[in-house]
Amino acid sequence: MARDLAIDLGTANTLVYERGRGIVFNEPSVIALNERSGDVLSVGREAWQMIGRTPSYIIAARPLRSGAITDFDITQRMIRLILQGVGVGRFGRTRVAVCVPSLITPVERRAVIEAARRAGASDVRLVEQPIAAAIGSGLPIHEPVGSLVIDVGGGTAEIAMVSLGGLVSLKAVRVGSFDFDAALMSYSRRAHGIAIGERTAEELKISIGSAWPVGDKFDAEVKGRDLTTGLPRTFLITPTEVRSALADTVELIVEAVLECLSETPPELAQDLIHTGALMVGGGSLLRGLDQRIASEARVPVLRSESPLETVVLGAGRALENFESLHASHTIPGR
């Protein structure tokens, strides 16, 4: 039986939507491998829990970085296991729409298509994430009204003005929530002389991280390894320190929003005074980011009710008209 799937192949998380069933898979884009035997140990949440905690011959890797495939073979294996996990066989007819960042190169696009086809898909189309996000948010993208989508993912931030079913202006930067984590790891080493891991940085970002003063009154206790002695050590960090550590990365996203607006026709830009901009993606959950962008862009900024799921839900709705997806937004499989 033919099946239609939409896949949001994100740097941080992978989501799969099946037509008629809804979201059937939502786990981290991580795969754990035994380098000695080449065997896959786990995929998704179980593999994510292994990050930074495995012996040298076991790696827990993210095969996608900054929205692009960094290891084709591992990505292919991960997609195959995910599709198998949702019941896709190699001999069935499965049509797949894959959400991808708009800034990926033609070579990267072909790599995504080939990985999905080798994983068992019979027909593959690529849907640009800003379009999918706009559809998933229920924005009136087919009307002559400007809709601004700010999609901050794990490895990329895309800002798009959408009107009459197409992209009017677009600005994308390879910066996302993982860069927030990296900034905190770097700050800890530089300011406190302590190395912290990726997961610790993420927990710190979630607990007291912000892009705008939000009234935090409590410091966070952070555990890491002293760079001088090599011994475990605990230190306190303030919300102000965390906000300062994230400032440069946040600024890149804000600048991208302003650049996108500067390239938007005045008639569409003025619509935002009433409709506002919509934020989606895991990175949009950073507290105060909406307030910071609203202050700089001088337009209201709203956060999607389901920021992590908006893109795959939009691609899922596009499955209703799989054959009629616009050529400008998709690339059919060979």
Side-chain angles (χ1 to χ4, degrees):
M1 182 180 294
R3 303 174 68 186
D4 289 346
L5 300 176
I7 302 177
D8 180 8
L9 194 62
T11 306
N13 297 286
T14 294
L15 293 88
V16 180
Y17 178 101
E18 182 175 351
R19 183 178 178 182
R21 291 181 60 194
I23 297 175
V24 293
F25 183 90
N26 181 2
E27 296 197 20
S29 302
V30 182
I31 184 170
L33 300 165
N34 185 324
E35 286 193 309
R36 294 176 180 174
S37 63
D39 295 335
V40 176
L41 302 178
S42 60
V43 173
R45 190 166 292 106
E46 185 179 343
W48 175 80
Q49 292 174 345
M50 296 183 183
I51 292 178
R53 297 176 178 273
T54 62
S56 59
Y57 61 91
I58 295 178
I59 59 170
R62 297 184 185 273
L64 296 104
R65 289 287 179 181
S66 301
I69 292 176
T70 57
D71 190 310
F72 177 81
D73 291 333
I74 293 181
T75 301
Q76 177 188 318
R77 296 173 74 178
M78 185 178 76
I79 294 176
R80 180 185 295 121
L81 288 170
I82 290 172
L83 293 183
Q84 288 176 353
V86 299
V88 175
R90 293 187 60 81
F91 301 103
R93 289 186 59 250
T94 303
R95 302 188 305 179
V96 176
V98 184
C99 304
V100 294
S102 55
L103 52 61
I104 66 172
T105 66
V107 173
E108 291 169 339
R109 288 174 178 254
R110 286 195 295 272
V112 173
I113 291 171
E114 191 63 26
R117 289 180 67 87
R118 290 190 181 185
S122 60
D123 189 2
V124 183
R125 310 270 175 126
L126 301 189
V127 183
E128 291 175 344
Q129 287 177 351
I131 293 294
I135 295 173
S137 302
L139 297 178
I141 66 170
H142 294 293
E143 298 179 14
V145 177
S147 298
L148 186 68
V149 177
I150 304 171
D151 183 359
V152 184
T156 59
E158 297 183 85
I159 300 89
M161 177 64 76
V162 183
S163 180
L164 291 174
L167 299 176
V168 178
S169 59
L170 171 72
K171 184 64 179 179
V173 289
R174 292 189 185 271
V175 170
S177 59
F178 283 148
D179 296 278
F180 295 149
D181 301 339
L184 290 175
M185 293 166 67
S186 176
Y187 178 83
S188 175
R189 297 175 71 96
R190 184 177 65 254
H192 295 276
I194 296 179
I196 62 174
E198 182 179 326
R199 291 180 59 182
T200 300
E202 182 179 22
E203 292 168 359
L204 177 61
K205 173 187 65 181
I206 293 172
S207 62
I208 64 170
S210 65
W212 187 263
V214 291
D216 278 319
K217 298 180 181 179
F218 302 100
D219 300 343
E221 184 179 80
V222 183
K223 299 175 182 178
R225 176 172 52 83
D226 193 301
L227 294 174
T228 302
T229 65
L231 301 176
R233 185 178 145 198
T234 301
F235 69 99
L236 291 178
I237 189 169
T238 68
T240 301
E241 281 185 276
V242 173
R243 188 161 52 249
S244 174
L246 299 177
D248 289 344
T249 306
V250 169
E251 185 63 28
L252 292 174
I253 296 173
V254 173
E255 288 177 358
V257 173
L258 299 180
E259 288 181 27
C260 181
L261 287 174
S262 69
E263 298 171 2
T264 299
E267 293 295 333
L268 294 179
Q270 70 180 14
D271 292 338
L272 299 181
I273 296 175
H274 305 289
T275 62
L278 184 76
M279 289 186 67
V280 302
S284 70
L285 295 173
L286 179 68
R287 290 180 300 169
L289 184 57
D290 52 345
Q291 296 170 263
R292 172 68 186 280
I293 294 175
S295 174
E296 297 276 353
R298 299 181 183 179
V299 297
V301 177
L302 307 174
R303 185 183 290 115
S304 170
E305 293 182 1
S306 304
L308 296 172
E309 302 172 352
T310 302
V311 171
V312 78
L313 290 175
R317 292 180 186 176
L319 290 174
E320 302 294 332
N321 300 294
F322 189 89
E323 296 295 346
S324 62
L325 288 174
H326 295 300
S328 61
H329 299 152
T330 64
I331 296 179
R334 296 193 301 274

